[in-house]
Amino acid sequence: MAEQALLSVGALHAWYGESHILHGVDFEVRRGEVVTLLGRNGAGKTTTLKSVLGMVARREGSVRFDGKETIALSSNRIARLGLAFCPEERGIFASLNVQENLLLPPEVRRGGLALGQIFGLFPNLKERLASQGTKLSGGEQQMLAIGRILRTGARLLLLDEPTEGLAPVIVQHISQTISRLKAEGFTILLVEQNFRFASRVADRHYVMENGRIVDMIPNAELQSNLTKVHEYLGV
C-alpha cells in the first residue's frame, strides 16, 4: 500500500492579476521525501510554491496537507499547519542581526530545531550572531534563511532556488544539509534550476512547462533520461 502523500496538489490554477500562471498542476510529495520542481524560468515553479502556501491572491483547485484541504485557508493558517517557505530572495531583514533574524519567526508547532541544532548544521551562523543579517555572504544568508524556518516546527519545507548564485563549496554544504534534514524526518519540496544538485538530494523530479507538470522522473532514472532533461531545461 502506497504511503499517503503529505502534500497532494490537484488541478491547481493560480493567477497574478489577470495573468493565468498555473493551468491545472498535479503532483504529490510523500512524507519524508525530497522532491524537486524542475523547469525553465517562467515555467511556474515559484508560483507553485507560493500557491501551496496560499501566497497568491487567487488560486483554485485542491491543495491537501496531511489530509487537510487548505485551498480556502489564508497563508498564516496554512503555515501553522506545519509548512514553511524559504524564498529565492531569502528575505533577510537588514535592520536585524543574525540572532534577531533567526528568532523572528514564531514557533508554529512543537518540534522545531533549537538554536544549538541549527548551529550544528551551520557553524558559521554562531560566529556571526551579532552581525547585520545583510552583511553576511550570499552563502551565509542562505544558511540563515534555511535555519530560520527550521525553528518554526514546520515539517514540510518549501525551498526556492537555494543554490542560486552560490559558490560550489556552499552548494555542497546545502546539499549535505538537505540530506541531514531528510534523515531527521523533514519533507522538502525544492525548486531548482541546477538539476545536478537536485540529483544529489532528491527522490523524484517533476518537470514544469507553461504552468503545468509535464513529466515525473524518479531520481534513479535521471541519468538514463538526461537527454530529455536537457531538452526540458534548454541546457
Side-chain angles (χ1 to χ4, degrees):
M1 180 178 176
E3 185 177 353
Q4 181 189 17
L6 180 64
L7 177 71
S8 181
V9 175
L12 180 62
H13 292 254
W15 290 259
Y16 291 134
E18 296 298 313
S19 298
H20 191 176
I21 307 298
L22 301 184
H23 302 269
V25 170
D26 295 277
F27 68 94
E28 67 177 28
V29 183
R30 295 186 285 271
R31 199 179 306 273
E33 274 195 313
V34 177
V35 170
T36 59
L37 297 177
L38 296 172
R40 303 186 192 200
N41 286 331
K45 305 184 302 296
T46 295
T47 301
T48 299
L49 293 190
K50 290 183 174 179
S51 297
V52 165
L53 203 52
M55 296 172 64
V56 298
R58 182 184 169 198
R59 60 182 190 148
E60 296 176 359
S62 175
V63 178
R64 299 184 68 84
F65 176 70
D66 204 11
K68 180 180 178 64
E69 181 58 66
T70 68
I71 198 71
L73 300 183
S74 61
S75 58
N76 64 311
R77 289 184 63 194
I78 295 171
R80 290 186 179 279
L81 295 175
L83 296 85
F85 177 50
C86 186
E88 181 182 0
E89 62 274 14
R90 300 172 186 141
I92 305 302
F93 288 88
S95 60
L96 303 180
N97 65 27
V98 169
Q99 182 166 346
E100 290 165 337
N101 268 284
L102 273 175
L103 296 177
L104 184 64
E107 184 177 346
V108 297
R109 294 174 69 87
R110 297 182 64 181
L113 298 192
L115 286 182
Q117 293 172 292
I118 293 171
F119 297 148
L121 290 171
F122 304 122
N124 290 31
L125 296 183
K126 187 173 183 179
E127 302 167 7
R128 303 295 303 275
L129 280 180
S131 300
Q132 182 181 342
T134 51
K135 296 294 186 185
L136 303 183
S137 68
E140 288 170 333
Q141 288 190 41
Q142 186 63 67
M143 294 173 191
L144 176 55
I146 294 174
R148 186 171 56 186
I149 64 173
L150 295 176
R151 274 194 55 258
T152 65
R155 304 310 291 171
L156 174 61
L157 309 180
L158 310 176
L159 307 182
D160 193 3
E161 300 277 11
T163 69
E164 179 69 25
L166 300 184
V169 65
I170 304 299
V171 172
Q172 180 65 24
H173 189 142
I174 299 296
S175 172
Q176 293 168 351
T177 298
I178 290 174
S179 296
R180 286 179 64 180
L181 292 174
K182 180 185 177 184
E184 292 182 23
F186 287 91
T187 304
I188 298 172
L189 178 59
L190 176 73
V191 161
E192 190 52 69
Q193 291 269 65
N194 181 351
F195 74 88
R196 292 178 181 85
F197 164 78
S199 70
R200 296 201 296 268
V201 300
D203 298 291
R204 295 183 299 120
H205 312 273
Y206 287 100
V207 181
M208 293 197 73
E209 284 185 350
N210 302 316
R212 294 178 174 86
I213 300 291
V214 296
D215 206 348
M216 190 284 288
I217 305 172
N219 197 56
E221 299 175 15
L222 190 63
Q223 288 299 316
S224 61
N225 283 278
L226 282 184
T227 299
K228 184 164 62 171
V229 171
H230 286 149
E231 291 173 355
Y232 282 138
L233 301 182
V235 176

